[in-house]
Amino acid sequence: MADFRSDTVTQPCQHMRHLMAIAEVGDDVYGDDPSVNRLEAWAAERHGFEAALFVSSGTQANLLGILSHCQRGDEYLCGQEAHNYRYEAGGAAVLGSVQPQPIENLPDGTLPFDKLEKAIKPDDSHFARTRLLSLENTIGGKVLPLDYLKAARQFADKHGLALHLDGARVYNAAVASGVDVTEIARPFDSITVCLSKGLGAPVGSLLLGEKAFIQRARRLRKMLGGGMRQAGILAVAGQYALENNVARLAEDHANARFLAEGLNQLDGFSTDAYAVHTNIVFVDVAPAVDMQAIARELAQQNLIVSPGYQGMRLVTHKDIARADVERLLAILARLVA
Ligand SMILES: *Cc1c(COP(=O)(O)O)cnc(C)c1O
């Protein structure tokens, strides 16, 4: 079976499962889990931060990040397309009373500084206090340019803002642009990293930042019910993923590009192959193509896609081989013929 819906569907490999089975564990709420402690210390160093926190999900990592930077009545600037604005159930507003101020993303995923500047509120009792700028990399599979990240740091400094990166897929960005992840992380006060997407761990994300920031996040994690006990079983999987599954992301990117180019050969499908920087392909599907019916047909052949309305997102990952992409293209070609 090849599941193109998301890279979250990746299965832990046998070696990862073995490490999970033999992991040394303890009660992490007491700070006693050696595997969690090892991952947090290693990850802090690896990404160039003082401290790290292992958490249940990317959503929780972002929420803790925003809540640890902001107080009630503060606001954070983010993209209209940002995951932590659109797809996290409004958690920062609901649970933290932190107001989002979204700005339209440009087609390359960046947020224009002139628009950001206009959105910053003056120090006046009418307004929420603008405290934080949150970016996302990759965003919609696109890599934000390094120069833009450096300029964002200058912008944040100029306006006294903290700078957060939703780096759920930051390793895809690093591999696609051929730089170390620390280059991407450096301008930021905090970043999140998803271990359970393309990296292939079953559960978990990291939040990285300064010591005092991570201490605040740790308290909030407990408050949210995110304090886990023998979490080392998950932490060893995450560390294995970071140590072994990064370089191979390049294969996913090549497969995504191959898929995009193949789709462009088919009637009724079009994609901007140049916009495929990493492992995500957005496909325009012509109205005449009955994608729901095609998806059902594909499922019969063990190919899973989730059709949207006149569009579709296809994601490559470690459990999709080049042969699966070829099979998908061949069957699609037959079905639209
Ligand atoms: C998946 C994702 C998240 C959230 O991660 P979950 O583990 O699904 O909660 C956050 N940000 C981005 C950009 C993501 O792609």
Side-chain angles (χ1 to χ4, degrees):
M1 172 144 95
D3 189 339
F4 289 84
R5 288 172 302 169
S6 177
D7 48 9
T8 54
V9 302
T10 43
Q11 295 274 325
C13 66
Q14 285 310 313
H15 193 64
M16 186 183 276
R17 286 170 189 263
H18 173 69
L19 291 176
M20 294 171 78
I22 63 168
E24 259 190 292
V25 295
D27 186 332
D28 181 50
V29 176
Y30 285 117
D32 282 352
D33 191 299
S35 301
V36 172
N37 293 341
R38 195 179 314 117
L39 170 64
E40 289 179 348
W42 180 88
E45 164 110 30
R46 171 70 189 92
H47 299 88
F49 288 91
E50 279 180 13
L53 188 65
F54 179 59
V55 303
S56 60
S57 68
T59 299
Q60 190 175 75
N62 276 325
L63 179 61
L64 295 175
I66 295 167
L67 267 51
S68 301
H69 283 301
C70 300
Q71 302 287 321
R72 297 183 66 202
D74 289 350
E75 97 177 342
Y76 71 106
L77 304 168
C78 59
Q80 190 73 38
E81 306 295 328
H83 198 283
N84 62 34
Y85 174 60
R86 286 184 84 141
Y87 304 111
E88 298 182 8
V94 175
L95 300 167
S97 300
V98 180
Q99 161 176 294
Q101 167 63 68
I103 303 293
E104 204 70 46
N105 294 86
L106 294 177
D108 68 357
T110 61
L111 304 175
F113 293 117
D114 57 339
K115 296 242 170 76
L116 284 170
E117 188 152 25
K118 282 197 190 117
I120 294 174
K121 313 292 182 287
D123 183 4
D124 174 312
S125 60
H126 287 83
F127 300 117
R129 289 163 304 220
T130 313
R131 286 280 195 240
L132 172 69
L133 170 58
S134 175
L135 301 176
E136 185 173 315
N137 195 15
T138 61
I139 177 157
K142 288 181 196 154
V143 179
L144 299 183
L146 271 183
D147 285 347
Y148 176 78
L149 304 183
K150 288 179 194 153
R153 176 74 264 168
Q154 288 178 349
F155 177 86
D157 287 343
K158 182 174 163 202
H159 297 285
L161 305 176
L163 188 60
H164 174 77
L165 182 69
D166 178 348
R169 295 193 179 86
V170 69
Y171 276 96
N172 294 90
V175 167
S177 42
V179 299
D180 191 75
V181 71
T182 50
E183 292 296 306
I184 298 174
R186 185 168 297 127
F188 292 91
D189 298 301
S190 58
I191 79 165
T192 63
V193 180
C194 262
L195 306 171
S196 65
K197 291 190 169 162
L199 295 178
V203 177
S205 275
L206 293 165
L207 176 66
L208 300 126
E210 284 183 351
K211 260 197 189 120
F213 167 87
I214 292 297
Q215 271 164 11
R216 292 196 293 281
R218 194 178 290 279
R219 169 183 290 272
L220 290 163
R221 185 186 68 173
K222 190 75 182 81
M223 191 187 292
L224 287 171
M228 297 186 283
R229 303 297 179 176
Q230 285 73 35
I233 283 184
L234 301 173
V236 293
Q239 187 155 350
Y240 177 87
L242 287 167
E243 288 180 323
N244 296 279
N245 290 350
V246 170
R248 61 150 313 286
L249 294 173
E251 280 174 51
D252 304 339
H253 301 171
N255 281 338
R257 181 63 75 91
F258 178 81
L259 173 60
E261 285 164 0
L263 286 166
N264 277 335
Q265 307 300 311
L266 302 180
D267 282 343
F269 295 90
S270 63
T271 122
D272 179 359
Y274 292 104
V276 179
H277 296 174
T278 58
N279 66 329
I280 301 180
V281 182
F282 288 97
V283 194
D284 290 324
V285 182
V289 175
D290 184 352
M291 201 54 223
Q292 302 288 338
I294 288 181
R296 282 194 296 275
E297 195 63 38
L298 289 170
Q300 301 287 320
Q301 319 268 346
N302 290 325
L303 295 166
I304 313 299
V305 302
S306 52
Y309 175 70
Q310 291 188 11
M312 185 167 53
R313 185 188 83 155
L314 298 169
V315 184
T316 56
H317 51 75
K318 75 171 185 62
D319 297 342
I320 288 181
R322 177 59 65 99
D324 297 316
V325 178
E326 287 169 344
R327 204 156 62 84
L328 174 66
L329 288 169
I331 295 174
L332 279 177
R334 207 168 69 232
L335 290 174
V336 297

